[in-house]
Coordinates of all heavy atoms in Angstrom, one line a residue:
Chain H
R247 N 125.7 33.3 63.3 CA 126.4 32.1 63.8 C 127.8 32.1 63.2 O 128.7 31.3 63.6 CB 125.7 30.8 63.5 CG 124.4 30.7 64.3 CD 123.8 29.3 64.1 NE 124.7 28.3 64.7 CZ 124.8 28.0 66.0 NH1 124.1 28.6 66.8 NH2 125.6 27.0 66.3
K248 N 128.1 33.0 62.2 CA 129.4 33.1 61.6 C 129.7 34.6 61.4 O 129.7 35.1 60.4 CB 129.4 32.4 60.2 CG 129.9 31.0 60.2 CD 130.1 30.6 58.7 CE 129.0 29.6 58.4 NZ 128.7 29.4 57.1
P249 N 130.0 35.2 62.5 CA 130.0 36.7 62.4 C 131.2 37.2 61.6 O 132.3 36.7 61.6 CB 130.2 37.1 63.9 CG 130.8 35.9 64.6 CD 130.3 34.7 63.8
V250 N 131.0 38.4 61.0 CA 132.0 39.1 60.3 C 132.1 40.5 61.1 O 131.1 41.2 61.1 CB 131.7 39.4 58.9 CG1 132.8 40.3 58.2 CG2 131.7 38.0 58.2
G251 N 133.2 40.8 61.7 CA 133.3 42.0 62.4 C 134.5 42.8 62.0 O 135.1 42.6 61.0
T252 N 134.8 43.8 62.9 CA 136.1 44.6 62.6 C 137.1 44.3 63.8 O 138.1 44.9 63.7 CB 135.7 46.1 62.6 OG1 135.0 46.4 63.8 CG2 134.9 46.5 61.5
G253 N 136.7 43.5 64.7 CA 137.5 43.5 66.0 C 138.8 42.8 65.9 O 139.2 42.2 64.9
P254 N 139.6 42.7 67.0 CA 140.9 42.1 67.1 C 140.8 40.6 66.8 O 141.9 40.0 66.4 CB 141.3 42.3 68.6 CG 140.1 42.6 69.3 CD 139.1 43.3 68.3
Y255 N 139.8 39.9 66.9 CA 139.7 38.4 66.6 C 138.7 38.2 65.6 O 137.6 38.7 65.5 CB 139.5 37.6 67.9 CG 140.7 37.6 68.8 CD1 141.0 38.6 69.7 CD2 141.6 36.5 68.6 CE1 142.2 38.6 70.4 CE2 142.8 36.5 69.3 CZ 143.1 37.5 70.2 OH 144.2 37.5 70.9
R256 N 139.0 37.2 64.7 CA 138.1 36.7 63.7 C 137.4 35.4 64.0 O 138.1 34.6 64.6 CB 138.9 36.4 62.4 CG 139.3 37.6 61.6 CD 140.2 37.1 60.5 NE 140.6 38.2 59.7 CZ 141.3 38.1 58.6 NH1 141.9 36.9 58.3 NH2 141.6 39.1 57.9
F257 N 136.2 35.2 63.6 CA 135.6 34.0 63.9 C 136.1 32.9 63.1 O 136.4 33.0 61.9 CB 134.0 34.2 63.6 CG 133.2 32.9 63.7 CD1 132.9 32.5 65.0 CD2 133.0 32.1 62.6 CE1 132.2 31.3 65.1 CE2 132.3 31.0 62.7 CZ 131.8 30.5 63.9
K258 N 136.3 31.7 63.8 CA 136.8 30.6 63.1 C 135.8 29.4 63.1 O 135.5 28.8 62.1 CB 138.2 30.1 63.7 CG 138.8 28.9 63.0 CD 140.1 28.7 63.6 CE 141.0 27.6 62.8 NZ 140.4 26.4 62.5
E259 N 135.3 29.1 64.3 CA 134.5 27.9 64.4 C 133.6 27.9 65.7 O 134.0 28.5 66.7 CB 135.5 26.7 64.6 CG 134.9 25.4 64.8 CD 135.9 24.3 65.1 OE1 136.9 24.6 65.6 OE2 135.6 23.2 64.7
W260 N 132.4 27.4 65.5 CA 131.5 27.3 66.7 C 130.9 25.9 66.7 O 130.2 25.6 65.8 CB 130.3 28.3 66.6 CG 129.3 28.3 67.6 CD1 129.3 27.5 68.7 CD2 128.3 29.2 67.8 NE1 128.3 27.8 69.5 CE2 127.6 28.9 69.0 CE3 127.8 30.3 67.1 CZ2 126.5 29.6 69.4 CZ3 126.7 31.0 67.6 CH2 126.0 30.6 68.8
K261 N 131.3 25.1 67.6 CA 130.7 23.8 67.8 C 129.7 23.9 68.9 O 130.1 24.0 70.1 CB 131.8 22.7 68.2 CG 132.6 22.4 67.0 CD 133.2 21.0 67.1 CE 133.3 20.3 65.8 NZ 134.0 19.1 65.9
T262 N 128.4 23.7 68.6 CA 127.3 23.9 69.5 C 127.6 23.2 70.8 O 127.9 22.0 70.9 CB 126.0 23.4 68.9 OG1 125.9 24.0 67.6 CG2 124.8 23.7 69.7
D263 N 127.4 23.9 71.9 CA 127.5 23.4 73.3 C 128.9 22.9 73.6 O 129.1 22.1 74.6 CB 126.5 22.3 73.6 CG 125.3 22.8 74.2 OD1 125.3 24.0 74.7 OD2 124.3 22.1 74.3
E264 N 129.9 23.0 72.7 CA 131.3 22.6 73.0 C 132.2 23.7 73.0 O 132.8 23.9 74.1 CB 131.7 21.6 71.9 CG 131.4 20.2 72.1 CD 132.0 19.3 71.1 OE1 133.2 19.1 71.2 OE2 131.3 18.8 70.1
K265 N 132.4 24.5 71.9 CA 133.4 25.5 72.0 C 133.2 26.5 70.8 O 132.5 26.2 69.9 CB 134.8 24.9 71.9 CG 135.0 24.2 70.6 CD 136.4 23.7 70.4 CE 136.6 23.0 69.1 NZ 137.9 22.4 68.9
I266 N 133.7 27.7 71.1 CA 133.8 28.7 70.0 C 135.3 29.1 69.9 O 136.0 29.3 70.9 CB 132.9 30.0 70.4 CG1 131.4 29.5 70.4 CG2 133.1 31.1 69.4 CD1 130.5 30.6 71.0
V267 N 135.7 29.2 68.6 CA 137.1 29.4 68.4 C 137.3 30.7 67.6 O 136.6 31.0 66.6 CB 137.8 28.3 67.6 CG1 139.3 28.6 67.5 CG2 137.5 27.0 68.3

Side-chain angles (χ1 to χ4, degrees):
Chain H
R247 297 188 58 81
K248 260 193 253 155
V250 175
T252 49
Y255 284 87
R256 285 177 173 175
F257 173 80
K258 182 170 189 313
E259 176 184 31
W260 180 356
K261 285 207 147 169
T262 309
D263 265 350
E264 273 189 74
K265 63 175 179 183
I266 294 174
V267 184

